[in-house]
Coordinates of all heavy atoms in Angstrom, one line a residue:
T151 N 31.3 -19.5 -6.8 CA 32.7 -19.7 -7.1 C 33.6 -18.7 -6.3 O 34.7 -19.1 -5.8 CB 33.0 -19.5 -8.6 OG1 32.5 -18.2 -9.0 CG2 32.3 -20.6 -9.4
V231 N 24.4 -21.3 5.9 CA 24.0 -21.6 4.6 C 24.0 -20.4 3.7 O 23.4 -19.4 3.9 CB 22.5 -22.2 4.6 CG1 22.1 -22.5 3.1 CG2 22.4 -23.5 5.4
L256 N 22.6 -14.5 2.8 CA 21.6 -14.4 1.7 C 22.1 -13.7 0.5 O 22.4 -12.5 0.5 CB 20.4 -13.6 2.2 CG 19.2 -13.5 1.3 CD1 18.5 -14.8 1.1 CD2 18.2 -12.4 1.8
V278 N 16.8 -16.6 14.0 CA 17.8 -16.9 12.9 C 18.3 -15.6 12.3 O 17.6 -14.7 12.0 CB 17.1 -17.8 11.8 CG1 18.0 -17.8 10.5 CG2 16.8 -19.2 12.3
E297 N 24.2 0.5 15.7 CA 23.2 1.5 15.7 C 21.8 1.0 16.1 O 20.8 1.5 15.6 CB 23.1 2.2 14.3 CG 24.4 2.8 13.8 CD 24.6 4.2 14.4 OE1 23.8 4.6 15.3 OE2 25.6 4.8 14.1
K304 N 16.4 7.0 6.3 CA 16.3 6.4 5.0 C 17.5 5.7 4.7 O 18.6 5.9 5.3 CB 15.9 7.4 4.0 CG 17.0 8.4 3.6 CD 16.6 9.3 2.4 CE 17.8 10.2 2.0 NZ 17.4 11.1 0.9
I305 N 17.5 4.8 3.7 CA 18.7 4.2 3.1 C 18.8 4.6 1.7 O 17.8 5.0 1.0 CB 18.7 2.7 3.2 CG1 17.6 2.1 2.3 CG2 18.5 2.2 4.7 CD1 17.7 0.6 2.2
T308 N 22.9 2.4 -4.0 CA 23.6 2.9 -5.2 C 23.5 1.9 -6.3 O 23.4 0.7 -6.1 CB 25.1 3.2 -4.9 OG1 25.7 2.0 -4.4 CG2 25.3 4.3 -3.8
Q369 N 11.2 5.2 2.6 CA 12.6 5.3 3.2 C 13.7 4.8 2.3 O 14.8 4.7 2.8 CB 12.5 4.6 4.5 CG 11.7 5.2 5.6 CD 11.7 4.3 6.9 OE1 11.0 3.3 6.9 NE2 12.4 4.7 7.9
W455 N 1.9 -9.2 -5.6 CA 2.4 -8.5 -6.7 C 4.0 -8.7 -6.9 O 4.4 -8.9 -8.0 CB 2.1 -7.0 -6.6 CG 0.8 -6.7 -7.4 CD1 -0.2 -7.5 -7.6 CD2 0.5 -5.4 -8.0 NE1 -1.2 -6.9 -8.3 CE2 -0.8 -5.6 -8.5 CE3 1.1 -4.2 -8.0 CZ2 -1.5 -4.5 -9.2 CZ3 0.4 -3.1 -8.7 CH2 -0.8 -3.3 -9.2
K490 N -2.9 -8.1 -15.1 CA -3.9 -9.0 -15.5 C -4.2 -10.1 -14.5 O -5.3 -10.7 -14.4 CB -3.5 -9.7 -16.8 CG -3.6 -8.8 -18.0 CD -5.1 -8.5 -18.3 CE -5.2 -7.7 -19.6 NZ -6.7 -7.4 -19.9

Side-chain angles (χ1 to χ4, degrees):
T151 54
V231 176
L256 185 69
V278 167
E297 298 283 3
K304 70 175 180 179
I305 66 167
T308 57
Q369 292 177 283
W455 267 27
K490 285 292 183 180

